[in-house]
Amino acid sequence: MPGRYYEQWTLGDTIRHQPHRTVTETDNLLISTLTHNPQPLHLDETYAEATEFGRIVVNGTFTFALLVGLSVGDTTLGTLVANLGYDKVRMPKPVFIGDTLRAETEVVGLKDSNSRPDAGIVTFAHRMFNQRDELVCVMERTALMQRRPG
């Protein structure tokens, strides 16, 4: 099981996740249509060319979801009780089709659960960078994590 139990984390732990992922046109089209998001900046090449970006901008919900997904194997896979919240989500730079994204995670909070003696709360700061090392997404995820059995 790749995920860590609550007591296996320490403040400041940092993980650089693999794999990296190149964003495709299909990724952007699927997330936009699955979520019923008709924003022409994500779907209409002619429209997007006339904006300050000059091309289609990838739907931010894809970037956010990919950031979480890339982190799961190293953080919460098999040890998560529940995600309690996603906070402070920011997207300081746009993501474009063809960008290759990488993720890293830092533990920024640890707290015993008051209501569940078999669990603790870990706050992760997740960061996503493009191939130019520009920060494209950052957020905090608060997770209720199992304690090691026994």
Side-chain angles (χ1 to χ4, degrees):
M1 176 177 51
R4 294 186 197 177
Y5 291 103
Y6 171 72
E7 56 275 304
Q8 292 177 294
W9 293 107
T10 58
L11 284 176
D13 282 349
T14 301
I15 300 169
R16 288 172 179 76
H17 305 289
Q18 292 291 334
H20 300 177
R21 176 77 149 65
T22 300
V23 181
T24 68
E25 183 177 11
T26 301
D27 296 327
N28 185 57
L29 180 62
L30 281 174
I31 195 73
S32 295
T33 55
L34 284 171
T35 59
H36 295 276
N37 184 339
Q39 174 54 255
L41 185 59
H42 303 317
L43 299 171
D44 184 332
E45 189 172 347
T46 302
Y47 175 90
E49 286 174 350
T51 69
E52 66 184 270
F53 303 105
R55 56 187 161 157
I56 287 177
V57 174
V58 172
N59 188 320
T61 56
F62 174 80
T63 305
F64 168 81
L66 180 63
L67 177 53
V68 173
L70 288 174
S71 75
V72 166
D74 295 321
T75 58
T76 60
L77 186 61
T79 55
L80 178 75
V81 177
N83 284 312
L84 302 178
Y86 300 92
D87 299 294
K88 302 177 186 174
V89 178
R90 291 183 297 110
M91 300 189 182
K93 294 274 187 184
V95 172
F96 300 106
I97 294 165
D99 280 351
T100 298
L101 305 178
R102 64 179 175 82
E104 66 181 37
T105 297
E106 179 182 355
V107 174
V108 296
L110 293 168
K111 179 181 160 189
D112 292 333
S113 172
N114 292 329
S115 61
R116 298 185 68 150
D118 61 340
I121 299 167
V122 180
T123 302
F124 299 105
H126 296 304
R127 295 179 287 271
M128 177 86 78
F129 299 89
N130 63 20
Q131 69 277 9
R132 293 176 297 281
D133 291 324
E134 297 169 326
L135 183 66
V136 297
C137 186
V138 62
M139 61 132 187
E140 289 185 0
R141 173 168 65 121
T142 304
L144 184 63
M145 304 293 296
Q146 298 172 25
R147 288 187 181 273
R148 184 177 276 157

